[in-house]
Short mmCIF file of all heavy atoms in Angstrom, two decimals:
data_model
loop_
_atom_site.label_atom_id
_atom_site.label_comp_id
_atom_site.label_asym_id
_atom_site.label_seq_id
_atom_site.Cartn_x
_atom_site.Cartn_y
_atom_site.Cartn_z
N ARG A 1427 116.06 -11.37 -222.40
CA ARG A 1427 116.72 -10.19 -221.82
C ARG A 1427 118.19 -10.40 -221.77
O ARG A 1427 118.68 -11.49 -221.50
CB ARG A 1427 116.21 -9.92 -220.40
CG ARG A 1427 114.82 -9.36 -220.37
CD ARG A 1427 114.42 -8.86 -218.98
NE ARG A 1427 114.76 -9.76 -217.89
CZ ARG A 1427 115.24 -9.35 -216.71
NH1 ARG A 1427 115.35 -8.10 -216.43
NH2 ARG A 1427 115.54 -10.25 -215.78
N VAL A 1428 118.95 -9.28 -221.94
CA VAL A 1428 120.38 -9.32 -221.91
C VAL A 1428 120.87 -8.05 -221.23
O VAL A 1428 120.19 -6.99 -221.32
CB VAL A 1428 120.97 -9.39 -223.34
CG1 VAL A 1428 120.54 -8.23 -224.21
CG2 VAL A 1428 122.47 -9.57 -223.37
N SER A 1429 121.97 -8.12 -220.49
CA SER A 1429 122.55 -6.93 -219.87
C SER A 1429 124.00 -6.86 -220.24
O SER A 1429 124.70 -7.87 -220.41
CB SER A 1429 122.36 -6.92 -218.34
OG SER A 1429 123.19 -7.91 -217.76
N LEU A 1430 124.47 -5.62 -220.42
CA LEU A 1430 125.86 -5.34 -220.71
C LEU A 1430 126.34 -4.37 -219.60
O LEU A 1430 125.72 -3.34 -219.37
CB LEU A 1430 125.99 -4.68 -222.08
CG LEU A 1430 125.79 -5.60 -223.29
CD1 LEU A 1430 124.34 -5.92 -223.49
CD2 LEU A 1430 126.36 -4.96 -224.50
N THR A 1431 127.40 -4.76 -218.98
CA THR A 1431 127.99 -3.94 -217.90
C THR A 1431 129.41 -3.52 -218.28
O THR A 1431 130.24 -4.35 -218.63
CB THR A 1431 128.01 -4.74 -216.56
OG1 THR A 1431 126.71 -5.17 -216.23
CG2 THR A 1431 128.56 -3.91 -215.46
N ASP A 1432 129.61 -2.21 -218.22
CA ASP A 1432 130.94 -1.66 -218.53
C ASP A 1432 131.25 -0.53 -217.50
O ASP A 1432 130.53 -0.42 -216.50
CB ASP A 1432 131.05 -1.21 -219.97
CG ASP A 1432 130.02 -0.11 -220.32
OD1 ASP A 1432 129.45 0.53 -219.41
OD2 ASP A 1432 129.80 0.09 -221.51
N ASP A 1433 132.23 0.26 -217.78
CA ASP A 1433 132.61 1.31 -216.85
C ASP A 1433 131.48 2.38 -216.67
O ASP A 1433 131.54 3.15 -215.71
CB ASP A 1433 133.88 2.03 -217.31
CG ASP A 1433 135.12 1.11 -217.25
OD1 ASP A 1433 135.06 0.11 -216.47
OD2 ASP A 1433 136.10 1.41 -217.92
N ASN A 1434 130.53 2.39 -217.55
CA ASN A 1434 129.43 3.37 -217.48
C ASN A 1434 128.20 2.78 -216.81
O ASN A 1434 127.16 3.44 -216.74
CB ASN A 1434 129.04 3.86 -218.88
CG ASN A 1434 130.18 4.62 -219.51
OD1 ASN A 1434 130.79 5.48 -218.89
ND2 ASN A 1434 130.47 4.29 -220.77
N GLY A 1435 128.27 1.55 -216.27
CA GLY A 1435 127.12 0.96 -215.58
C GLY A 1435 126.58 -0.23 -216.33
O GLY A 1435 127.17 -0.80 -217.23
N THR A 1436 125.38 -0.65 -215.91
CA THR A 1436 124.70 -1.80 -216.47
C THR A 1436 123.55 -1.30 -217.33
O THR A 1436 122.75 -0.45 -216.93
CB THR A 1436 124.18 -2.75 -215.38
OG1 THR A 1436 125.31 -3.23 -214.63
CG2 THR A 1436 123.42 -3.92 -215.96
N HIS A 1437 123.48 -1.84 -218.52
CA HIS A 1437 122.42 -1.51 -219.49
C HIS A 1437 121.67 -2.79 -219.80
O HIS A 1437 122.28 -3.77 -220.27
CB HIS A 1437 123.06 -0.95 -220.78
CG HIS A 1437 124.11 0.05 -220.49
ND1 HIS A 1437 123.87 1.38 -220.28
CD2 HIS A 1437 125.47 -0.09 -220.37
CE1 HIS A 1437 124.98 2.02 -220.06
NE2 HIS A 1437 125.98 1.16 -220.07
N THR A 1438 120.37 -2.84 -219.51
CA THR A 1438 119.58 -4.05 -219.76
C THR A 1438 118.61 -3.82 -220.88
O THR A 1438 117.96 -2.78 -220.97
CB THR A 1438 118.82 -4.41 -218.44
OG1 THR A 1438 119.77 -4.62 -217.39
CG2 THR A 1438 118.02 -5.68 -218.62
N PHE A 1439 118.49 -4.82 -221.74
CA PHE A 1439 117.62 -4.74 -222.92
C PHE A 1439 116.71 -5.95 -222.95
O PHE A 1439 117.13 -7.06 -222.66
CB PHE A 1439 118.48 -4.67 -224.18
CG PHE A 1439 119.45 -3.55 -224.18
CD1 PHE A 1439 120.77 -3.76 -223.77
CD2 PHE A 1439 119.06 -2.27 -224.54
CE1 PHE A 1439 121.68 -2.69 -223.76
CE2 PHE A 1439 119.95 -1.23 -224.51
CZ PHE A 1439 121.28 -1.42 -224.11
N ALA A 1440 115.44 -5.72 -223.33
CA ALA A 1440 114.44 -6.79 -223.43
C ALA A 1440 113.77 -6.76 -224.78
O ALA A 1440 114.07 -5.88 -225.59
CB ALA A 1440 113.40 -6.58 -222.32
N ALA A 1441 112.89 -7.74 -225.02
CA ALA A 1441 112.22 -7.83 -226.31
C ALA A 1441 111.66 -6.49 -226.75
O ALA A 1441 111.02 -5.77 -225.97
CB ALA A 1441 111.09 -8.86 -226.22
N GLY A 1442 112.00 -6.12 -228.00
CA GLY A 1442 111.56 -4.82 -228.55
C GLY A 1442 112.59 -3.76 -228.45
O GLY A 1442 112.50 -2.73 -229.12
N ASP A 1443 113.66 -3.94 -227.62
CA ASP A 1443 114.75 -3.00 -227.50
C ASP A 1443 115.79 -3.23 -228.57
O ASP A 1443 115.97 -4.36 -229.04
CB ASP A 1443 115.40 -3.07 -226.13
CG ASP A 1443 114.51 -2.64 -224.99
OD1 ASP A 1443 113.59 -1.83 -225.23
OD2 ASP A 1443 114.74 -3.10 -223.85
N ALA A 1444 116.57 -2.19 -228.86
CA ALA A 1444 117.69 -2.32 -229.78
C ALA A 1444 118.87 -1.53 -229.20
O ALA A 1444 118.70 -0.60 -228.42
CB ALA A 1444 117.32 -1.73 -231.14
N PHE A 1445 120.08 -1.95 -229.55
CA PHE A 1445 121.28 -1.23 -229.10
C PHE A 1445 122.42 -1.50 -230.09
O PHE A 1445 122.33 -2.36 -230.97
CB PHE A 1445 121.70 -1.68 -227.69
CG PHE A 1445 122.08 -3.14 -227.55
CD1 PHE A 1445 123.40 -3.54 -227.69
CD2 PHE A 1445 121.12 -4.09 -227.25
CE1 PHE A 1445 123.76 -4.89 -227.55
CE2 PHE A 1445 121.45 -5.43 -227.11
CZ PHE A 1445 122.76 -5.82 -227.24
N THR A 1446 123.46 -0.68 -229.95
CA THR A 1446 124.63 -0.86 -230.78
C THR A 1446 125.88 -1.02 -229.90
O THR A 1446 125.91 -0.58 -228.77
CB THR A 1446 124.87 0.35 -231.73
OG1 THR A 1446 125.05 1.50 -230.94
CG2 THR A 1446 123.67 0.55 -232.68
N LEU A 1447 126.88 -1.66 -230.47
CA LEU A 1447 128.21 -1.79 -229.87
C LEU A 1447 129.24 -1.38 -230.91
O LEU A 1447 129.05 -1.61 -232.09
CB LEU A 1447 128.51 -3.23 -229.44
CG LEU A 1447 127.76 -3.78 -228.23
CD1 LEU A 1447 128.04 -5.27 -228.06
CD2 LEU A 1447 128.16 -3.03 -227.00
N GLU A 1448 130.33 -0.79 -230.46
CA GLU A 1448 131.38 -0.37 -231.37
C GLU A 1448 132.68 -1.13 -231.01
O GLU A 1448 132.82 -1.68 -229.90
CB GLU A 1448 131.62 1.14 -231.28
CG GLU A 1448 130.44 1.91 -231.77
CD GLU A 1448 130.72 3.40 -231.80
OE1 GLU A 1448 131.89 3.81 -231.69
OE2 GLU A 1448 129.76 4.17 -231.95
N PRO A 1449 133.61 -1.20 -231.97
CA PRO A 1449 134.91 -1.83 -231.67
C PRO A 1449 135.55 -1.24 -230.42
O PRO A 1449 135.49 -0.04 -230.18
CB PRO A 1449 135.76 -1.54 -232.92
CG PRO A 1449 134.76 -1.28 -233.98
CD PRO A 1449 133.58 -0.61 -233.31
N GLY A 1450 136.09 -2.12 -229.62
CA GLY A 1450 136.77 -1.71 -228.41
C GLY A 1450 135.91 -1.80 -227.14
O GLY A 1450 136.45 -1.69 -226.05
N TRP A 1451 134.58 -2.05 -227.30
CA TRP A 1451 133.77 -2.16 -226.09
C TRP A 1451 134.31 -3.29 -225.26
O TRP A 1451 134.74 -4.33 -225.72
CB TRP A 1451 132.29 -2.42 -226.43
CG TRP A 1451 131.46 -2.59 -225.21
CD1 TRP A 1451 130.95 -1.58 -224.43
CD2 TRP A 1451 131.08 -3.81 -224.59
NE1 TRP A 1451 130.24 -2.12 -223.36
CE2 TRP A 1451 130.32 -3.48 -223.41
CE3 TRP A 1451 131.29 -5.16 -224.88
CZ2 TRP A 1451 129.80 -4.45 -222.56
CZ3 TRP A 1451 130.74 -6.12 -224.03
CH2 TRP A 1451 130.02 -5.74 -222.87
#
């Protein structure tokens, strides 16, 4: 599991999940 926290809140991802990041995050 991994979480990413930014100005929009915390987003947590676990096995089977996918996400993207863009330049500037």
Side-chain angles (χ1 to χ4, degrees):
R1427 285 191 318 142
V1428 60
S1429 69
L1430 287 75
T1431 302
D1432 59 18
D1433 293 340
N1434 296 313
T1436 298
H1437 315 274
T1438 301
F1439 304 96
D1443 293 335
F1445 63 92
T1446 61
L1447 288 174
E1448 294 186 14
W1451 179 81

